[in-house]
């Protein structure tokens, strides 16, 4: 069978392949919201792509969730909820600025047992590794996770990652923990930010930026507040 894919078709397939599990409403918001009947348009396109064998789907969820054709995920797997939570963080970022160099389940060390953040991206000019904690863990386990980031920091391998800027010194990404609870974790070498959502992150940044601006009017020294550098 011969068929022609539009650029939007190709973009949707690439997006589903990138995020592994994408719900219908997210596709509506990202690809169809400018149309007169976005939900109907999305349903029509997704049914066509499914029938062409270019995407998979599971109707275990409502609305329907779409998967890559070669996805090694069972259609009732809890892993789908994991990928949807990553997608939700991405969508929150898009309400402020579309992230660049997005990598789902990044494995920057290339080795088993190294850091495996749920998401890497450059957001508003700053690089971030994002860990999404849907379940509560012990502080010992969370500190062990942070220790892995410190090990990678001291390896210097991060300096040659492909997204590093050519025109300035390499940057080690801040680590964002998306978590409803706060863990007593710490590091002397990497920046750790604990927030419940990207919206909270942006509120913290706005408050910090305001405080620093006010402090600069009183003293030439830095305010020493939370600096996220979301430029």
């Amino acid at each position: 069978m011969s068929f022609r894919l539009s650029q939007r078709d190709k973009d949707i397939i690439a997006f589903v392949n990138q995020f592994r599990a994408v719900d219908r409403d997210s596709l509506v918001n990202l690809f169809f919201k400018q149309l007169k009947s976005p939900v109907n348009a999305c349903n029509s396109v997704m049914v066509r792509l499914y029938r062409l064998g270019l995407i998979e789907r599971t109707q275990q969820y409502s609305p329907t969730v779409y998967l890559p054709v070669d996805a090694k995920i069972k259609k009732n797997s809890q892993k789908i909820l994991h990928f949807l939570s990553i997608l939700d963080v991405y969508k929150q970022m898009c309400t402020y600025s579309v992230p660049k160099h997005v990598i789902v389940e990044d494995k920057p060390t290339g080795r088993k047992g190294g850091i495996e953040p749920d998401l890497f991206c450059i957001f508003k000019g700053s690089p971030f590794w994002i860990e999404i904690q849907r379940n509560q863990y012990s502080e010992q386990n969370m500190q062990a996770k942070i220790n892995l980031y410190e090990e990678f920091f001291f390896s210097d391998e991060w300096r040659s990652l492909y997204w590093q800027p050519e025109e300035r010194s390499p940057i080690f990404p801040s680590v964002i923990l998306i978590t409803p609870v706060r863990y007593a974790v710490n590091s002397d070498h990497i920046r750790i930010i604990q927030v419940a959502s990207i919206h909270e992150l942006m509120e913290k940044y706005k408050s910090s930026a305001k405080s620093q601006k006010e402090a600069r009017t009183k003293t030439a020294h830095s305010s020493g507040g939370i600096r996220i550098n979301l430029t």
Side-chain angles (χ1 to χ4, degrees):
M1 180 190 297
S2 63
F3 53 86
R4 179 174 295 178
L5 297 177
S6 68
Q7 186 58 52
R8 183 179 62 192
D9 292 339
K10 295 174 183 177
D11 290 344
I12 289 171
I13 294 167
F15 191 81
V16 171
N17 287 337
Q18 181 181 27
F19 281 88
R20 322 284 175 80
V22 181
D23 62 285
R24 193 276 314 275
D25 286 355
S26 292
L27 292 170
V28 168
N29 184 58
L30 294 168
F31 294 97
F32 298 91
K33 65 181 178 181
Q34 76 282 6
L35 301 181
K36 187 175 181 180
S37 301
V39 173
N40 290 339
C42 181
N43 287 339
S44 177
V45 169
M46 299 313 291
V47 166
R48 176 170 54 83
L49 295 179
Y50 172 71
R51 288 175 176 169
L52 289 171
L54 299 173
I55 56 171
E56 260 297 345
R57 71 184 183 188
T58 173
Q59 294 176 310
Q60 300 269 347
Y61 302 87
S62 181
T64 300
V65 171
Y66 295 92
L67 313 167
V69 289
D70 60 350
K72 298 175 181 177
I73 310 171
K74 292 182 179 179
K75 293 186 178 182
N76 60 352
S77 171
Q78 288 295 305
K79 190 77 171 171
I80 289 175
L81 295 176
H82 166 71
F83 287 124
L84 291 176
S85 66
I86 295 174
L87 175 60
D88 185 60
V89 168
Y90 172 81
K91 289 190 300 179
Q92 287 183 46
M93 288 182 164
C94 286
T95 64
Y96 301 98
S97 176
V98 177
K100 299 178 180 178
H101 298 294
V102 176
I103 306 173
V104 176
E105 291 196 330
D106 191 18
K107 295 177 175 59
T109 69
R111 298 185 300 273
K112 227 178 169 177
I115 64 171
E116 295 186 2
D118 297 311
L119 188 68
F120 167 80
C121 66
I122 294 178
F123 179 51
K124 296 183 77 66
S126 299
F128 295 97
W129 276 314
I130 302 174
E131 297 272 359
I132 303 168
Q133 307 302 318
R134 293 178 53 238
N135 301 310
Q136 188 167 347
Y137 297 90
S138 70
E139 291 189 344
Q140 183 179 5
N141 286 342
M142 292 302 296
Q143 185 62 54
K145 189 186 289 281
I146 297 303
N147 292 345
L148 287 177
Y149 280 94
E150 289 195 332
E151 286 178 21
F152 191 49
F153 175 82
F154 286 114
S155 76
D156 280 348
E157 295 173 32
W158 55 273
R159 295 178 179 275
S160 58
L161 293 173
Y162 83 94
W163 49 263
Q164 289 286 5
E166 295 180 1
E167 69 282 1
R168 52 191 176 134
S169 300
I171 305 168
F172 193 88
S174 299
V175 177
I176 300 178
L177 302 180
I178 304 286
T179 168
V181 299
R182 295 295 185 270
Y183 295 96
V185 295
N186 61 81
S187 171
D188 294 329
H189 309 286
I190 61 178
R191 182 185 297 165
I192 305 166
I193 305 166
Q194 298 190 61
V195 290
S197 66
I198 295 300
H199 300 311
E200 183 184 337
L201 172 72
M202 296 306 294
E203 285 300 316
K204 276 192 172 185
Y205 165 67
K206 285 196 296 185
S207 298
S208 175
K210 182 179 179 181
S211 297
Q212 290 179 26
K213 184 177 180 180
E214 290 173 351
R216 281 196 296 270
T217 65
K218 299 176 182 178
T219 175
H221 297 289
S222 167
S223 66
I226 299 173
R227 292 180 296 109
I228 304 177
N229 193 32
L230 295 173
T231 55

